[in-house]
Amino acid sequence: MAIWNLGSINIDHVYRLPHLPQPGETLAAHGYGLGLGGKGANQSVAAARAGSVTHHLGAMGAGDDWVVARLDAAGIRTGAIQRLPKQATGHAIILLDAEAENAIVIHPGANRAIDEARLTRDLAGIAPGDLLLLQNETSAQPEAACAAKARGARVIYSAAPFDLAAVCAVLPHVTILAMNEGEAAQLAAAMPQGPGVEAMLITKGAKGAEYRDLRTGAVHHQPAFRVDPVDTTGAGDTFAGYFAAGLDQGLDVAQALRLASGAAALKVTRPGAGDAIPSRAEVEAFLANQPI
Ligand code: RIB
C-alpha cells in the first residue's frame, strides 16, 4: 500500500517572541529560524518517517531546490511535485511565544496554482487500499479526492485551516475527516445531520485525540503524552501523517492513535515543523517508556 498526499509545501520563517503581538504593536524577535513547512509537506515527512511509501503531489516555484532535497532526504517520492516558474513557493510567517503557542500567516503561492490536468495524470497510479491525504492549503482538493475515491483509495481530509465551504466541497469523497475539537463543534453546528463520512479524527491538544467510527458508533480515546513543549507548530500534521501511516501499515485504530500521539508529543519538544518530525525509531523508543 502507499500514501499519496496532495499537500502544501511552505518555507517557514519562524520568529520567537516574548508574546504574540497585539494590533498596532511592534515587537523585536529574540530568535529566527527558516525551515521546511506546509501542512502537506509536514504530513508527508511524518508518513515517510513512519515508514510508509509516500508520494507527495503539490507545487512550488522554480527555485528553492533545498526544499525538494529535504523532502527527498526524508524518503518522500517527489517526482510529481510541480515546479511552476510563474509562482512563488508558498511561505509561512510563524510567530512563536514563550509558551510554545503560535500564530501563522501563510502566502499560498504555488500551492493554490496546481495544474489539475497534470495532477490527474499523476494520481493515475493510486490503487485500491492506498490512502490520499489532503489539507486545506492547496487548490484542486475536490478533484483529487474524487479521482482517488473513484480508484478505490481512502481519503483522509485534514480540515486545516478550517473553512466550512472547503470542507463541504470535498466531503462527498472523504473517508476520514480530521479536525480539532473547536472545528468539529463548528461543523456539527453547521451540519447537524453529520458529515456523512466513515469516521472522524478529532485532536484535542493536551487532552489527546479521539477517533469516532460513525458506521459502528465506536469511539477510541488516546490521551496525550506529557512533555515539555518548545514549539507546537506542525504537531497536528505529525499526528495526521503518523496516523495515516499506521493505518497504511495495517495497525488497528488504537495502535495507530498511540503511534501518532507519541510522534506528535516528540515533535513539540523540538523547534521547527517538517525538520523536527521524529523518525519511527525515535517514536518507538519514546513509546516504550510511556504508560499503555
Ligand atoms: O501546521 C503547521 C504548518 O502550517 C506550518 O509548517 C506552516 O507552513 C503552515 O502551513
Side-chain angles (χ1 to χ4, degrees):
M1 303 299 173
I3 290 178
W4 303 69
N5 183 4
L6 170 61
S8 54
I9 302 168
N10 286 341
I11 294 173
D12 284 357
H13 299 263
V14 184
Y15 301 86
R16 290 198 163 266
L17 301 166
H19 59 265
L20 300 180
Q22 300 299 309
E25 183 179 13
T26 300
L27 271 177
H30 55 71
Y32 169 76
L34 183 136
L36 174 66
K39 296 186 192 306
N42 297 341
Q43 289 193 5
S44 281
V45 170
R49 290 201 174 139
S52 284
V53 172
T54 304
H55 302 265
H56 193 90
L57 310 159
M60 297 174 43
D64 306 309
D65 292 344
W66 66 269
V67 173
V68 180
R70 225 167 267 189
L71 295 170
D72 283 332
I76 296 163
R77 315 276 168 108
T78 58
I81 293 176
Q82 300 177 13
R83 307 302 292 271
L84 307 179
K86 293 187 180 153
Q87 299 290 332
T89 300
H91 74 258
I93 304 294
I94 301 180
L95 308 181
L96 196 58
D97 75 9
E99 272 72 52
E101 289 301 333
N102 63 37
I104 303 180
V105 176
I106 56 175
H107 172 68
N111 293 313
R112 291 274 180 192
I114 286 165
D115 177 336
E116 285 179 28
R118 184 175 159 197
L119 174 68
T120 304
R121 284 199 301 278
D122 288 331
L123 260 177
I126 198 165
D130 286 357
L131 284 165
L132 175 71
L133 309 187
L134 297 167
Q135 321 77 35
N136 185 28
E137 285 188 339
T138 68
S139 51
Q141 298 161 33
E143 292 79 7
C146 180
K149 189 180 179 190
R151 289 186 169 81
R154 292 173 293 168
V155 177
I156 302 182
Y157 184 69
S158 297
F162 184 76
D163 176 76
L164 186 59
V167 177
C168 290
V170 81
L171 216 43
H173 318 293
V174 171
T175 315
I176 300 173
L177 182 59
M179 51 182 48
N180 67 36
E181 61 181 336
E183 295 159 349
Q186 280 184 61
L187 188 73
M191 223 175 256
Q193 75 283 13
V197 296
E198 286 184 16
M200 292 182 76
L201 177 62
I202 317 266
T203 48
K204 301 177 166 186
K207 288 185 286 173
E210 188 172 283
Y211 183 90
R212 299 180 193 158
D213 187 324
L214 302 183
R215 296 166 306 176
T216 64
V219 178
H220 302 264
H221 296 278
Q222 172 63 51
F225 299 109
R226 283 173 184 271
V227 288
D228 291 326
V230 300
D231 185 352
T232 58
T233 312
D237 309 328
T238 304
F239 193 102
Y242 258 87
F243 181 76
L247 295 186
D248 171 62
Q249 293 168 35
L251 300 189
D252 63 29
V253 166
Q255 292 168 324
L257 284 173
R258 181 175 165 83
L259 181 70
S261 188
L266 264 185
K267 155 62 208 83
V268 304
T269 64
R270 300 170 178 184
D275 302 309
I277 295 170
S279 67
R280 179 69 172 262
E282 290 172 317
V283 177
E284 301 282 7
F286 172 80
L287 288 174
N289 293 313
Q290 300 301 319
I292 299 294

